[in-house]
Amino acid sequence: AQSVTQLGSHVSVSEGALVLLRCNYSSSVPPYLFWYVQYPNQGLQLLLKYTSAATLVKGINGFEAEFKKSETSFHLTKPSAHMSDAAEYFCAVSERGGNKLTFGTGTQLKVEL
Amino acid sequence: GAVVSQHPSRVICKSGTSVKIECRSLDFQATTMFWYRQFPKQSLMLMATSNEGSKATYEQGVEKDKFLINHASLTLSTLTVTSAHPEDSSFYICSAREGSGGRGNEQFFGPGTRLTVL
């Protein structure tokens, strides 16, 4: 079974600082990997996805993530945090061509002045 | 493109009543729709997967008689919570997938429905 682990349920950064949200996956074969953002009382918005093309994936709002097979990681980064980035972030995994998404437990990002 | 809507956005009902939640893909045909529930400050848990015109596939531990799913068309799926109880209070989120082509592996999420059972 596939799974993802998000280290740190809460991350706090200063505005303008680097954002790093960690995600490690467990899968017997290279999977598809996703990062989603959720604002309060809203659904999920896709930030970016890895589906076996370039290992460095660029997404919306200045976010990017790098697929590292040797580390089974797919950490999300953004060079400079903005107040509007404060939200819940979910890492998710699915089998290649598969239906189901398995979500991590989420990381709440807080951005402080 | 790829917009998914849910209705209602919020619903409050009395214990024992049934509640229907609609999920619509507005600008694409969704061969597969998914229903998730999310408890406060927790992750999304997949409840069931439905393909248009066929019975839904429920995840282990999800009561199919309690959570009735219908996917009668390529743009509409409904989730009915039957005989709702306070423990069914949750945030229900649907997603939809086209099923082929470049976006075939991506799920597009609705804005969610907050169900409160008194």
Side-chain angles (χ1 to χ4, degrees):
Chain A
Q2 296 179 310
S3 65
V4 287
T5 302
Q6 291 183 242
L7 292 176
S9 58
H10 292 81
V11 170
S12 184
V13 300
S14 299
E15 191 174 33
L18 171 72
V19 176
L20 171 61
L21 303 182
R22 299 178 185 274
C23 174
N24 288 87
Y25 68 91
S26 172
S27 177
S28 57
V29 295
Y32 290 161
L33 291 158
F34 307 80
W35 274 100
Y36 289 89
V37 62
Q38 184 181 33
Y39 295 97
N41 295 310
Q42 294 187 28
L44 275 67
Q45 181 182 10
L46 180 67
L47 282 175
L48 48 81
K49 60 182 178 182
Y50 167 76
T51 56
S52 82
T55 56
L56 180 62
V57 182
K58 294 187 184 297
I60 62 172
N61 302 339
F63 285 95
E64 63 181 38
E66 185 172 7
F67 172 72
K68 291 187 177 181
K69 184 179 178 181
S70 61
E71 299 178 7
T72 61
S73 69
F74 191 57
H75 301 331
L76 181 70
T77 61
K78 181 174 180 177
S80 177
H82 192 272
M83 296 297 289
S84 61
D85 295 327
E88 185 90 20
Y89 291 81
F90 291 97
C91 182
V93 63
S94 78
E95 293 179 358
R96 290 174 177 278
N99 261 335
K100 299 181 184 180
L101 279 172
T102 301
F103 287 88
T105 51
T107 298
Q108 183 73 44
L109 175 65
K110 184 177 179 181
V111 182
E112 299 174 320
L113 288 171
Chain B
V3 179
V4 176
S5 69
Q6 279 184 244
H7 178 79
S9 57
R10 288 180 178 272
V11 57
I12 301 173
C13 69
K14 293 182 179 180
S15 185
T17 60
S18 294
V19 174
K20 180 184 284 188
I21 302 170
E22 292 185 348
C23 176
R24 293 181 186 272
S25 57
L26 299 185
D27 52 1
F28 67 99
Q29 294 188 322
T31 56
T32 307
M33 286 185 167
F34 305 83
W35 287 95
Y36 298 83
R37 64 187 300 181
Q38 184 181 29
F39 291 106
K41 301 189 184 301
Q42 294 188 28
S43 190
L44 281 74
M45 300 300 295
L46 180 65
M47 299 174 66
T49 302
S50 73
N51 291 297
E52 185 265 338
S54 61
K55 290 184 178 180
T57 301
Y58 290 80
E59 294 299 301
Q60 192 171 12
V62 178
E63 300 175 58
K64 59 183 65 177
D65 294 331
K66 180 166 186 62
F67 298 100
L68 301 179
I69 291 172
N70 183 280
H71 191 167
S73 78
L74 285 171
T75 58
L76 173 65
S77 176
T78 60
L79 167 68
T80 301
V81 183
T82 61
S83 186
H85 291 281
E87 58 266 28
D88 298 323
S89 298
S90 188
F91 195 50
Y92 291 87
I93 302 175
C94 74
S95 70
R97 202 176 92 154
E98 276 188 301
S100 63
R103 303 193 307 191
N105 64 330
E106 184 172 345
Q107 294 182 29
F108 300 96
F109 286 81
T113 296
R114 173 76 60 195
L115 171 63
T116 303
V117 185
L118 301 176

